[in-house]
Amino acid sequence: MTDGPPPVDWQGDPLDCGACRFKRKLGQGKCGPGWACVHDRYAKRIERFFLLNPDLADECLGMPYFETRMNAARLASVFRLTRLLSDPDPGVRAMAVLRLPVTHAQRRMKDEDRRVRIAVAHRLPVEELLPMLGDPDSYVRSIAMRRAEPGMLPVAIHDADPEIRRIVARRIGLDWLDRFRSDPDPLVRREAAGRRPGPFVEDDDLRVRHAVAERGGLEEATRLLDDPEEVIRETAAARLHQLKEGANVDG
């Protein structure tokens, strides 16, 4: 059985099962050229080798090919992984961060590669995420923003990335939402308006006012009955009806 590209080693040379130190596994049906091999260049075959032979992971942490080290690190004893925090390959370092106790993640908060810092952002305790909110990579920041306590988020109200500001508007404390009235991105303002409609009832953007019409109270819905856009007027009227019906039921 063969899948993927032709089986060659990580340098492109032919595989030699006879010279492999794990050749005993071949007779046991736990490896084979073209489908499961620790020396193969194709990552799926390396992964399959370790799934069949997890007991060999510790022995392969120092092998020259980064895919081999990374796949070995998935299954190796955590007591052998600390040295991988300084591995030359960022994927290997990231795997070590994900598996080692969280205290080790703190050592890689300023790693030069975003893949490692992404792993760090996933692993750090919530109370230690504040430095990651200012990471130079927006994806790292987005992970930190989704995990951070709402009280940490005001530092990111003016983040350069509108997607980050949307996350902040979705999670920050209600008292901070009026700060987004002047945000240049209407989708950010819409997020804020969906949670605190009042400050956004006169927004220039149709999408923002529509969020107000959908979520606002009696005052906001009444004001939007005269909106220049028909869809806003209709939504506001439906919201008013909903609010009045709810008041009648409660009464």
Side-chain angles (χ1 to χ4, degrees):
M1 178 180 66
T2 301
D3 62 345
V8 294
D9 71 10
W10 67 287
Q11 293 180 311
D13 296 324
L15 295 168
D16 183 1
C17 295
C20 178
R21 58 182 165 135
F22 302 128
K23 60 185 176 182
R24 68 186 185 280
K25 296 293 184 177
L26 185 63
Q28 299 170 4
K30 292 189 175 183
C31 70
W35 70 280
C37 180
V38 72
H39 298 291
D40 203 299
R41 184 162 63 185
Y42 189 42
K44 288 187 177 180
R45 294 175 192 147
I46 300 171
E47 180 182 10
R48 189 177 294 135
F49 176 87
F50 285 116
L51 289 175
L52 293 169
N53 305 283
D55 55 305
L56 299 180
D58 283 9
E59 297 182 47
C60 299
L61 294 174
M63 293 185 72
Y65 187 33
F66 74 93
E67 288 281 7
T68 306
R69 298 196 305 277
M70 185 167 64
N71 277 281
R74 294 179 194 274
L75 298 170
S77 166
V78 293
F79 299 107
R80 300 287 302 278
L81 296 181
T82 304
R83 63 189 176 93
L84 297 185
L85 290 171
S86 56
D87 191 274
D89 183 78
V92 177
R93 298 198 301 274
M95 183 58 65
V97 166
L98 290 172
R99 291 207 56 217
L100 283 165
V102 70
T103 52
H104 294 279
Q106 299 162 342
R107 295 166 50 186
R108 304 308 309 182
M109 288 176 64
K110 296 188 180 297
D111 192 281
E112 64 272 17
D113 195 280
R114 70 189 292 267
R115 286 171 287 181
V116 181
R117 301 198 307 278
I118 286 169
V120 172
H122 280 296
R123 291 286 286 129
L124 283 178
V126 169
E127 63 272 15
E128 296 181 16
L129 280 171
L130 188 59
M132 305 299 290
L133 302 185
D135 191 273
D137 186 86
S138 61
Y139 188 69
V140 176
R141 297 199 305 277
S142 72
I143 295 169
M145 300 293 174
R146 289 183 174 96
R147 295 190 60 227
E149 295 286 354
M152 297 180 181
L153 299 181
V155 299
I157 285 176
H158 300 293
D159 192 280
D161 189 327
E163 178 57 31
I164 299 294
R165 301 198 302 276
R166 289 181 66 186
I167 297 170
V168 175
R170 207 174 295 144
R171 301 192 61 237
I172 201 168
L174 293 175
D175 291 343
W176 291 92
L177 290 172
D178 61 345
R179 304 290 185 93
F180 291 98
R181 282 183 299 179
S182 58
D183 193 282
D185 191 304
L187 297 182
V188 175
R189 302 198 303 274
R190 185 179 68 175
E191 289 285 353
R195 298 183 60 213
R196 190 180 179 190
F200 301 89
V201 70
E202 296 181 357
D203 194 275
D204 292 336
D205 193 277
L206 165 67
R207 292 165 292 183
V208 181
R209 298 199 309 281
H210 191 262
V212 176
E214 285 185 315
R215 305 286 183 85
L218 286 170
E219 180 181 351
E220 291 82 24
T222 300
R223 290 175 63 182
L224 289 174
L225 290 175
D226 296 324
D227 194 271
E229 297 287 347
E230 181 180 3
V231 65
I232 302 296
R233 298 195 300 270
E234 291 176 350
T235 304
R239 177 63 172 164
L240 271 177
H241 178 74
Q242 179 187 43
L243 291 170
K244 290 177 180 178
E245 285 291 313
N248 291 336
V249 171
D250 294 339

